[in-house]
Amino acid sequence: MTLKREVGLDILAEKYAYASDPVMGFTSAQKIPDRWVATTCGYCSVGCGIMVGVKEGKAVSVRGNPDHPVNHGMLCPKGLSEHQTIDTETRAKYPILKRNGKHLRVGWDEALDTLVEKFRGVQQKYGPEALGILSTGQLVTEEFYTLGKLVQLGFGTKNYDGNTTLCMASAVSGYKRSFGSDGPPGAYEDLEKADVILLLGANVADNHPILCQRLEANKNKILIVADPRVTKTAMMADVFLPLKPRSDIALLNGLIYLLIENDLVDRDYIARHTTGFEALQESVSKYTPENVSQITGLSKELLVKTALLYGHAEAPFLGWTMGVNHSTKGTETVNAINNLALVTGNVGRPGASPFSITGQCNAMGTREAGFASSLPGYRKFESAADRKELATLWGISPDRLPTSRGLAYPDIVEAALARKIRALWVIATNPVVSFPNLGVLQQSLETLDFFVVQDGFHPTPTSELADLVLPAAIWGEKEGTYTNSERRVSKVNAAVAPQGEARSDFDIFLAVAEKLGCREELFPGWREPNDAFEEWKKISAGRLCDYSGLDYALIEREGGIQWPFPAGTTEVTTTRLYADGNFQTEDGKARLHPVEWEPFPEQPTNDYPFVLNTGRTVEHWHTRTKTAQVPILERLAPNAWLEMNPRDAETLRLRPHVRVDIVSKRGRTNGVELRITEMIAPGQVFMPFHFAETNVNEVTQSAFDPISREPNYKQCAVRVEKTPPGVGSATGRKLFGRKSVSAQERGQ
Ligand code: SF4
């Protein structure tokens, strides 16, 4: 504080001055920019168009882009304050190398030389697969495409995956198994056209707020919400299905049973466009209303009402998010959703679709262009024809392409623990907060010979552990494209220069390739993200996710365009997949997969009597690396909390807002504020997962979907204890020197 301020002579006139602006009206003078830059929001997969106001080289304001087809000018609280994430104290500004246990600033040259020398050293000693890479859903598509080539063809390892496996992998696997390919069939417009909308495990009011606005704009719909918790979305429902945790497969099978019983299935569509109906009919025959009522806790009347509403609808929409995916049965639950849509012929019609609402702003981009769960362009690792086609396009031998996918995220962590992976490159993600059963992750990172973190922020709980930190440009500082949940490709533009010496991830990947000696082979003449985009267009041509008719100028002009958009397309319209009933399988027919309900893996016991559910809140994003830097968001939700039903609180003699510890077989989260609320059913508790200081992943389990490898974050058995006096409200986790976690505690 200045002397003038201290003695009361400085009234901060400049700070509080107001002025008029033709776009923003009468507002704070500080927020009035010199120019506006059109871009796309960098948080969630809704993909809102956003304008960043720039004044004297700094981002000073944002507003929704009124011309963008997704949000028509609206933004949620995170979007409305996104410019405040750019210039913060916590940004990574310089390369940092650990020497003698200390993080020291170094130049880019030394940082990149070290990375290549260490990675190559590990690979020469232990084999190419001793290098693992964990990436994200938040780079631009051009960066994912570049990284995939660099990892697979430059470093020659297939052990590459992204944090998308922690949120969307089950949707990907489910789509592949049912339809022969990844790719959500529907469009956001369907939320406005549907007459019945059934949301399963999808709290869009908190997690996809602008989609919620579009849903609300549809005044003719009946909204059905299935969720064990009375979420904000559940409060909007016409019909609420408060089902028991993880009973959704029984619910879906029960609905199919009732639809068959009431002759509300589309037998013509089933015959022409699907296989496996007889087996499905047989498998759902035991999901009678009586049985399903017992498993789900829903009344028979409610089940029948839901089935009839869905069965008689002209255009029913099925949407889901993490309530479905975060499970050992995630892929199969997606198959059950797809089954319901297929037997009623509700795929790819206006208003009617089984629609996975994705998490991160560009999770779709990495699914399309990356190397993790598929080869670029949704090509299959296992298909010799796909490998040959891709190799021909690249002018390389097909032998350089893997015949199966590499290790998935949790298996990379386990392989590091087993000393099979010796070096790890983590890009734009924060696993020390986000990975389940953190003790395992902690040990695995401690065993590495060399650990690199590339991120826009430092220190984070993960970058603190790194041997090398590469500072990356973030949203607002770089260019490329994002693809949102409805397959809409939108342009991302730089509003300001990167902080300090930070570089875009695209530039970092090219610089690594240069040091590795493969830049001209893999990326000939590339200088700008558009060079990657132009090559990606050729690679995607003729595939389901065909970008070949797109270019940056056209995307900018339209605000965003859905794929497929083959070369020669003249009209920009809403697109849906499989409208003709022709799927991406060998015979063109969709597969109906019978799936069975089972109890979730860790059931409550006398010692651990509660089922813990985890999730998100509207104010924060992932591990709060960004949103904790935005004062208004941080003030709205500064701490984690635990929701508990009043009856349970009474039994435990706990009063509102006391501090509690949450304890599982694996660990303990200390000092969490207790919220007593009817939003949660007796026997269940809920805690948001964003908070490193009181981290719910201390207690979550190592249980993964066997097909998608997505973690079962949603249900584990815990007990709740009053925090002893003297223990702080947020003790946080100790990052170093953690006790060993046995294989049994890891859930193996
Ligand atoms: S809904 Fe998602 S994309 Fe839209 S402003 Fe909010 S965080 Fe950004």
Side-chain angles (χ1 to χ4, degrees):
M1 190 183 282
T2 62
L3 182 61
K4 205 174 157 193
R5 176 84 183 130
E6 228 167 313
V7 297
L9 294 175
D10 182 359
I11 57 165
L12 298 178
E14 213 173 293
K15 183 173 177 187
Y16 293 109
Y18 273 69
S20 256
D21 177 75
V23 175
M24 301 179 77
F26 194 59
T27 187
S28 163
Q30 288 189 329
K31 290 186 180 169
I32 296 177
D34 308 328
R35 62 192 172 94
W36 290 100
V37 176
T39 186
T40 309
C41 178
Y43 284 115
C44 90
S45 67
V46 174
C48 296
I50 192 167
M51 309 291 293
V52 182
V54 181
K55 183 178 194 166
E56 294 162 6
K58 288 191 179 297
V60 294
S61 49
V62 290
R63 63 187 170 89
N65 182 348
D67 301 322
H68 198 276
V70 165
N71 55 317
H72 309 298
M74 296 181 287
L75 292 175
C76 82
K78 287 194 282 287
L80 281 167
S81 53
E82 195 162 5
H83 60 294
Q84 293 177 22
T85 61
I86 297 174
D87 186 2
T88 72
E89 285 291 308
T90 52
R91 286 296 307 280
K93 294 181 180 162
Y94 311 100
I96 286 173
L97 189 60
K98 193 182 272 178
R99 280 208 189 99
N100 300 323
K102 284 196 180 136
H103 273 153
L104 301 171
R105 179 176 166 179
V106 294
W108 270 106
D109 226 31
E110 184 177 354
L112 296 171
D113 279 338
T114 308
L115 178 145
V116 169
E117 183 197 317
K118 294 284 186 184
F119 284 179
R120 274 293 186 230
V122 157
Q123 289 186 297
Q124 275 157 12
K125 204 164 167 192
Y126 304 105
E129 306 296 343
L131 171 63
I133 291 96
L134 292 175
S135 135
T136 175
Q138 293 178 245
L139 306 185
V140 292
T141 298
E142 293 76 353
E143 291 169 342
F144 286 130
Y145 180 69
T146 308
L147 177 63
K149 282 185 90 176
L150 175 64
V151 166
Q152 186 58 54
L153 305 178
F155 282 108
T157 177
K158 63 179 182 179
N159 290 332
Y160 164 46
D161 200 7
N163 65 10
T164 43
T165 288
L166 306 187
C167 58
M168 294 316 304
S170 294
V172 174
S173 305
Y175 277 143
K176 283 182 181 174
R177 274 165 47 107
S178 294
F179 303 148
S181 173
D182 186 16
Y188 294 164
E189 198 183 279
D190 295 333
L191 290 166
E192 292 148 356
K193 290 193 182 308
D195 50 355
V196 167
I197 297 175
L198 170 53
L199 297 179
L200 295 126
N203 181 12
V204 289
D206 262 313
N207 305 327
H208 301 90
I210 298 304
L211 276 196
C212 202
Q213 301 280 336
R214 293 195 60 172
L215 180 150
E216 276 289 83
N218 179 351
K219 300 297 175 205
N220 302 316
K221 66 171 184 309
I222 293 172
L223 177 62
I224 308 171
V225 174
D227 204 301
R229 182 169 162 250
V230 191
T231 61
K232 289 173 198 162
T233 310
M235 292 177 201
M236 295 162 53
D238 301 294
V239 180
F240 176 43
L241 307 177
L243 74 178
K244 288 184 195 167
R246 206 73 282 150
S247 61
D248 36 14
I249 285 182
L251 170 67
L252 291 156
N253 282 347
L255 294 178
I256 295 171
Y257 170 93
L258 283 165
L259 291 170
I260 295 172
E261 284 287 294
N262 289 280
D263 202 19
L264 287 171
V265 293
D266 186 338
R267 292 198 180 264
D268 181 48
Y269 187 92
I270 292 167
R272 286 196 293 130
H273 301 303
T274 71
T275 60
F277 181 69
E278 288 72 24
L280 178 68
Q281 185 168 13
E282 168 66 25
S283 88
V284 300
S285 62
K286 57 185 169 292
Y287 292 88
T288 60
E290 292 73 23
N291 284 344
V292 174
S293 177
Q294 244 187 351
I295 297 169
T296 61
L298 303 172
S299 70
K300 284 188 274 180
E301 294 71 29
L302 203 47
L303 294 169
V304 171
K305 179 178 177 177
T306 304
L308 294 182
L309 280 171
Y310 186 87
H312 285 296
E314 288 292 316
F317 180 92
L318 289 166
W320 77 91
T321 67
M322 304 314 157
V324 165
N325 296 331
H326 277 173
S327 163
T328 50
K329 301 284 280 183
T331 301
E332 292 192 327
T333 313
V334 173
N335 290 135
I337 292 170
N338 293 339
N339 289 345
L340 178 58
L342 285 165
V343 296
T344 48
N346 285 313
V347 181
R349 290 197 298 106
S353 236
F355 194 81
S356 142
I357 306 167
T358 311
Q360 301 177 69
C361 56
N362 201 27
M364 288 285 289
T366 188
R367 282 155 62 171
E368 295 150 13
F371 253 98
S373 59
S374 308
L375 292 168
Y378 291 155
R379 289 177 176 86
K380 297 180 175 75
F381 287 105
E382 305 75 26
S383 162
D386 282 359
R387 293 197 306 274
K388 187 167 175 231
E389 182 187 53
L390 190 59
T392 306
L393 286 164
W394 280 335
I396 60 167
S397 162
D399 299 343
R400 290 177 70 183
L401 297 176
T403 55
S404 62
R405 75 166 288 182
L407 296 175
Y409 192 134
D411 305 312
I412 289 175
V413 172
E414 279 295 331
L417 202 56
R419 307 282 284 148
K420 289 181 183 151
I421 283 189
R422 298 295 189 118
L424 186 67
W425 187 5
V426 165
I427 299 161
T429 188
N430 191 10
V432 171
V433 183
S434 59
F435 196 70
N437 191 8
L438 279 171
V440 178
L441 189 267
Q442 177 72 31
Q443 282 176 38
S444 113
L445 296 182
E446 283 170 0
T447 61
L448 293 168
D449 293 357
F450 196 63
F451 178 34
V452 179
V453 172
Q454 179 171 320
D455 204 302
F457 294 83
H458 176 70
T460 68
T462 303
S463 74
E464 274 184 332
L465 304 176
D467 296 303
L468 175 67
V469 180
L470 300 179
I474 64 165
W475 174 89
E477 298 173 333
K478 61 181 184 175
E479 187 186 21
T481 52
Y482 292 152
T483 308
N484 73 359
S485 289
E486 62 166 351
R487 298 171 280 101
R488 189 176 298 278
V489 182
S490 290
K491 189 75 200 316
V492 174
N493 286 316
V496 296
Q499 297 277 303
E501 292 179 12
R503 295 181 182 178
S504 72
D505 296 277
F506 179 76
D507 285 341
I508 296 172
F509 299 146
L510 290 186
V512 170
E514 179 92 45
K515 294 282 183 191
L516 206 55
C518 60
R519 178 166 175 163
E520 270 319 294
E521 188 215 353
L522 300 182
F523 314 113
W526 288 18
R527 295 284 174 273
E528 307 289 335
N530 193 42
D531 299 323
F533 190 77
E534 287 301 318
E535 184 175 303
W536 164 236
K537 280 166 57 179
K538 291 181 197 140
I539 299 298
S540 71
R543 306 295 304 173
L544 188 68
C545 53
D546 192 331
Y547 278 56
S548 58
L550 295 173
D551 62 55
Y552 279 0
L554 183 63
I555 298 169
E556 298 256 25
R557 198 185 74 209
E558 297 293 330
I561 299 176
Q562 287 178 286
W563 63 251
F565 200 85
T569 309
T570 50
E571 201 188 350
V572 177
T573 54
T574 299
T575 61
R576 294 177 181 85
L577 305 181
Y578 316 125
D580 56 1
N582 194 18
F583 293 88
Q584 292 282 302
T585 51
E586 274 168 20
D587 60 5
K589 291 187 174 187
R591 305 282 182 256
L592 292 166
H593 285 277
V595 293
E596 299 291 348
W597 170 83
E598 300 171 355
F600 54 84
E602 191 174 70
Q603 293 290 315
T605 62
N606 285 344
D607 283 344
Y608 303 99
F610 289 101
V611 179
L612 172 67
N613 183 3
T614 68
R616 297 175 273 180
T617 184
V618 66
E619 296 87 0
H620 284 299
W621 179 249
H622 282 200
T623 60
R624 273 165 67 249
T625 312
K626 288 161 100 173
T627 50
Q629 307 308 316
V630 178
I632 190 166
L633 299 176
E634 190 61 0
R635 280 199 291 269
L636 283 166
N639 296 310
W641 67 89
L642 184 82
E643 291 174 9
M644 178 182 277
N645 186 273
R647 274 173 273 176
D648 291 327
E650 198 181 335
T651 308
L652 294 176
R653 299 179 182 215
L654 293 170
R655 297 179 62 77
H657 308 299
V658 295
R659 301 286 160 175
V660 292
D661 295 355
I662 299 127
V663 189
S664 77
K665 282 184 206 162
R666 295 158 292 277
R668 172 184 286 267
T669 306
N670 291 331
V672 182
E673 182 196 340
L674 182 71
R675 292 189 186 169
I676 298 175
T677 168
E678 296 280 359
M679 283 175 75
I680 193 95
Q684 300 175 37
V685 287
F686 169 86
M687 185 171 163
F689 61 53
H690 305 289
F691 296 85
E693 302 85 348
T694 40
N695 193 337
V696 75
N697 285 320
E698 296 283 4
V699 300
T700 51
Q701 63 194 309
S702 299
F704 304 94
D705 182 308
I707 303 165
S708 69
R709 308 302 291 141
E710 180 151 347
N712 195 107
Y713 282 107
K714 286 280 183 189
Q715 304 85 23
C716 70
V718 297
R719 67 170 177 267
V720 178
E721 299 172 350
K722 192 166 176 184
T723 304
V727 177
S729 62
T731 51
R733 81 185 302 265
K734 201 168 181 297
L735 289 173
F736 299 95
R738 202 189 149 87
K739 75 173 176 67
S740 281
V741 176
S742 69
Q744 193 186 6
E745 285 171 307
R746 296 205 303 271
Q748 297 170 333

